[in-house]
Amino acid sequence: MGLLGLFHYWVFAVLLMTGFYAVIAKRNLVKKLIGLSIFQSAVFLLYITMGKVEGGTAPIYQNGASDQLFSNPLPEVLILTAIVVGISTMALGLAIVVRIKEEYGSIEEDEIMNFDR
Amino acid sequence: MIDWNAHLAALQVIVPMFTVPLVVLLRPSGLAWAAAMTASIGAFAVSIALTLGVLDGQVYGYSLGSWPAPYGIELRVDAFSAIVLLMVTGTSSLALLAARATLDAEIESHRQPLFYSAWLLVLTGLTGILVSADAFNFFVFMEIAALASYVLVAGGKDRRALPAAFTYLVMGTIGATFYLVGVGLIYMMTGTLNLADMESRIHVVADQTPIMVAAGFITVGLALKAAVFPLHAWLPNTYTYAPHAVTVFLAACSTKVVLYLLLRFDFFVFQANIVSHDIQFSWFFLPLAVLALLIGSGIALFEKNLKRMLAYSSVAQVGYILIGAGLVNVAGLTASVLTMFNHALAKGALFLAVACLAMRCTGLTHSDIKGAARDMPWTMAAFVVAGLSLIGMPGTAGFVSKWYLLSAVLEQGLLGISLAIIIVLSSLMSVIYIWRVVEAAYFHAPIPGTATRGEAPPLLLAATWTAVLANVYFGLNSALPVALSSAAAKTLLGHVP
């Protein structure tokens, strides 16, 4: 496995850091949430990648075939749960942003910080 | 006939969880509160039963759906889980009592059932973390608790709670995602999620690098959620602007439960399996803990808002807990677990007393509460006793944990002496910031216009004094928490001589 053999893991690392950067650097709350979403999606990719077995198929037992190679289904099941968590986080985050917009009239972090001084 | 004792570990989570949909439907809000209160007290009763069993030397293992571990999902309750369970369910019950008294001023009546259901979800998540023995279950329950607590924080009238909740959400999610990356890496190398199974398989792994990276991700992610200095940025605003009853609950429980998870992972899973893990752990956390003590207490000295002052004091308290853990021996960990328990008692009681003040005063700064002791003698007396417990005065719970911490630290030679000096210094600072409140409340005349006062509502006062009396009781008779903490420390360090 050379560098290219680890392609998925490189994508994981780059996506993770892209999302992380957006969360930290962006001042707009919605953009922050988008960054957070990318950040979480990167981890989904990590889990799905590790479940893949080279040459493996979907783990469904077939009559007659004896030497089948299966991919590991467990990481995908786990990440299904994590995706649900991600969606809930996003929904709640956006709901809070809507409430912030109602109360402050802005979704820019700097402006909100200046309000209640 | 069902053998209830065998199902206790599962019941601990099921009782609050299955009450949630009921609470959403109940009207009026009083009925919803009654259902939530019943569930919380039920959970408290279950954790008392679990604690009694654990004290008899029983360890509650439970295979969900009768699938044996490591294939199925396992629940496991030992002494460490039991002491934190006791603390979480007990605080939840007391804080719900307080919520009944304070919530009408903060949340409209028709939204209160939703508030109580979110509350029970937090309780579900926290107790779920404490009974689980499965790394992925920890993540799921952690996110259940976290998502519901963002709702609780943002639920009040104060609009400043909204940006606070948003920051809490972003940082909490980053922490949880880091944890998830770590768990993923370990799963990749060991093929298991069950904690005990993971512990026995890690050292067989040929390439230890991913395990090291995983330990880093898990430790930093959980440290973020536990508000370890300097990752505490979300904490002060969250505690300050959340509804008062929520502050009581979160301040006493949420960071402690994450610290529970941190200690469980770092000691139970990693300690025996990673080369020189104890040195890495100490050198990572001891400096941070020292900074937390000095800076947390230092900021609390100058803080004028009572809730924010106590929030910074909580940042310092995480430092005490980590100093004990950073020694990586049984004495230190005993002190660490004991501090968790006793700090929850002291901080819970203090925030309850602050909730009393908030009911009758126009604000919560030092000048708003001037002369409050005249109109609210019971509230301020409660504040003083709970404050003494926070400082560590003999006769209160805080003294017991400070005593154990100092004696554990002093075994360590020169490093120990300097740590002890810092602990004493931080305690002295807490004397000053508690005294400033006492001075304002007892020795100043009320400012005209702020003085529309009387004693706090009886229900709230009852909750506050129950917490205060618990502080005194566990200060005089510390056998129960000490027995549980030392058993917890021995379980955590089971592999270390």
Side-chain angles (χ1 to χ4, degrees):
Chain A
M1 290 236 277
L3 278 184
L4 273 182
L6 298 172
F7 179 69
H8 290 94
Y9 296 98
W10 286 110
V11 175
F12 152 71
V14 169
L15 275 182
L16 192 77
M17 286 303 117
T18 312
F20 201 33
Y21 171 78
V23 174
I24 294 169
K26 294 294 170 189
R27 303 273 99 187
N28 182 306
L29 297 185
V30 174
K31 286 183 185 168
K32 261 183 195 292
L33 282 178
I34 293 173
L36 201 64
S37 189
I38 297 173
F39 183 69
Q40 288 180 309
S41 307
V43 182
F44 305 162
L45 195 67
L46 172 75
Y47 271 72
I48 291 169
T49 304
M50 70 169 112
K52 173 73 181 163
V53 174
E54 209 132 323
T57 62
I60 302 167
Y61 185 74
Q62 285 170 332
N63 264 343
S66 58
D67 56 342
Q68 283 175 305
L69 193 59
F70 295 135
S71 284
N72 185 354
L74 188 68
E76 284 167 36
V77 179
L78 295 179
I79 223 54
L80 209 57
T81 315
I83 289 172
V84 175
V85 170
I87 290 171
S88 326
T89 312
M90 198 50 49
L92 183 59
L94 287 172
I96 294 178
V97 173
V98 170
R99 289 277 295 121
I100 289 177
K101 174 77 177 168
E102 282 171 4
E103 294 284 336
Y104 290 85
S106 164
I107 54 166
E108 296 295 326
E109 200 176 33
D110 326 357
E111 293 174 22
I112 296 164
M113 299 286 242
N114 289 329
F115 263 105
D116 295 311
R117 291 246 171 240
Chain B
M1 185 65 199
I2 306 177
D3 176 16
W4 289 106
N5 195 44
H7 295 279
L8 277 178
L11 278 174
Q12 181 74 82
V13 185
I14 285 174
V15 168
M17 189 191 263
F18 283 13
T19 319
V20 172
L22 181 70
V23 170
V24 176
L25 297 175
L26 284 176
R27 299 287 184 283
S29 59
L31 211 56
W33 172 79
M37 193 69 205
T38 314
S40 181
I41 289 180
F44 187 43
V46 173
S47 55
I48 289 177
L50 282 169
T51 308
L52 291 178
V54 164
L55 282 176
D56 282 342
Q58 195 175 349
V59 173
Y60 289 87
Y62 188 86
S63 306
L64 279 182
S66 296
W67 290 92
Y71 306 105
I73 288 167
E74 191 194 9
L75 305 181
R76 180 166 285 271
V77 176
D78 57 15
F80 193 17
S81 327
I83 188 171
V84 188
L85 275 174
L86 212 55
M87 177 185 113
V88 168
T89 51
T91 320
S92 160
S93 307
L94 276 184
L96 265 178
L97 262 186
R100 181 69 187 144
T102 56
L103 213 59
D104 283 334
E106 291 177 301
I107 291 177
E108 301 91 324
S109 177
H110 69 276
R111 282 172 57 219
Q112 284 183 11
L114 298 175
F115 175 89
Y116 290 125
S117 58
W119 185 293
L120 284 183
L121 279 176
V122 176
L123 187 62
T124 306
L126 295 180
T127 52
I129 294 175
L130 296 168
V131 300
S132 288
D134 179 283
F136 200 78
N137 263 29
F138 285 145
F139 168 75
V140 174
F141 279 123
M142 196 157 68
E143 282 307 84
I144 291 177
L147 284 166
S149 52
Y150 309 145
V151 174
L152 291 185
V153 171
K157 272 201 173 133
D158 195 331
R159 71 171 184 177
R160 288 169 296 181
L162 293 167
F166 187 84
T167 316
Y168 187 18
L169 180 139
V170 169
M171 299 190 86
T173 306
I174 292 175
T177 308
F178 266 39
Y179 172 81
L180 195 59
V181 173
V183 169
L185 289 170
I186 295 185
Y187 177 72
M188 245 160 99
M189 302 313 287
T190 62
T192 184
L193 289 167
N194 182 291
L195 228 51
D197 197 30
M198 193 183 272
E199 198 277 320
S200 64
R201 284 191 193 201
I202 282 183
H203 68 274
V204 191
V205 173
D207 183 5
Q208 288 280 327
T209 320
I211 304 288
M212 295 282 288
V213 176
F217 266 111
I218 289 175
T219 306
V220 173
L222 291 178
L224 180 56
K225 278 186 95 83
V228 175
F229 185 87
L231 303 170
H232 66 280
W234 57 268
L235 186 143
N237 277 347
T238 305
Y239 286 8
T240 311
Y241 301 127
H244 304 299
V246 175
T247 309
V248 176
F249 189 26
L250 292 187
C253 298
S254 66
T255 54
K256 309 286 182 313
V257 172
V258 181
L259 280 170
Y260 159 91
L261 196 51
L262 182 77
L263 295 186
R264 187 152 290 253
F265 249 100
D266 272 326
F267 287 103
F268 183 72
V269 179
F270 295 136
Q271 175 60 31
N273 296 311
I274 295 183
V275 181
S276 64
H277 174 265
D278 46 350
I279 297 173
Q280 290 165 4
F281 184 87
S282 300
W283 279 106
F284 183 63
F285 276 123
L286 279 183
L288 295 184
V290 167
L291 285 175
L293 284 189
L294 296 177
I295 297 179
S297 301
I299 297 177
L301 280 183
F302 298 100
E303 199 49 70
K304 289 193 177 62
N305 181 310
L306 256 58
K307 276 175 98 175
R308 189 182 282 271
M309 176 190 89
L310 292 175
Y312 275 107
S313 146
S314 282
V315 173
Q317 294 290 334
V318 173
Y320 288 115
I321 296 170
L322 285 175
I323 282 193
L327 302 177
V328 200
N329 58 28
V330 172
L333 266 179
T334 306
S336 177
V337 178
L338 205 55
T339 309
M340 276 192 203
F341 184 78
N342 289 342
H343 172 245
L345 285 178
K347 201 43 79 58
L350 279 171
F351 271 120
L352 279 167
V354 169
C356 291
L357 285 170
M359 292 293 284
R360 294 289 181 257
C361 303
T362 45
L364 279 174
T365 60
H366 288 146
S367 53
D368 290 318
I369 61 154
K370 271 183 185 165
R374 281 176 216 183
D375 303 313
M376 311 175 74
W378 285 96
T379 301
M380 281 317 296
F383 189 93
V384 171
V385 179
L388 290 177
S389 179
L390 185 78
I391 295 163
M393 209 51 88
T396 58
F399 172 72
V400 181
S401 46
K402 285 261 165 73
W403 177 261
Y404 271 83
L405 188 60
L406 281 175
S407 30
V409 159
L410 285 173
E411 286 170 14
Q412 300 295 315
L414 203 58
L415 171 75
I417 292 171
S418 42
L419 284 178
I421 291 172
I422 288 163
I423 292 172
V424 170
L425 199 64
S426 172
S427 301
L428 287 177
M429 288 200 255
S430 62
V431 174
I432 298 175
Y433 60 72
I434 294 292
W435 171 255
R436 289 183 67 205
V437 177
V438 173
E439 189 191 354
Y442 281 91
F443 302 106
H444 282 281
I447 297 172
T450 59
T452 48
R453 296 198 197 110
E455 192 48 90
L459 191 62
L460 185 54
L461 214 54
T464 313
W465 272 94
T466 313
V468 168
L469 291 178
N471 271 293
V472 176
Y473 175 79
F474 286 115
L476 298 175
N477 182 6
S478 58
L480 172 76
V482 169
L484 285 172
S485 326
S486 65
K490 282 176 192 131
T491 335
L492 284 177
L493 287 173
H495 317 279
V496 174

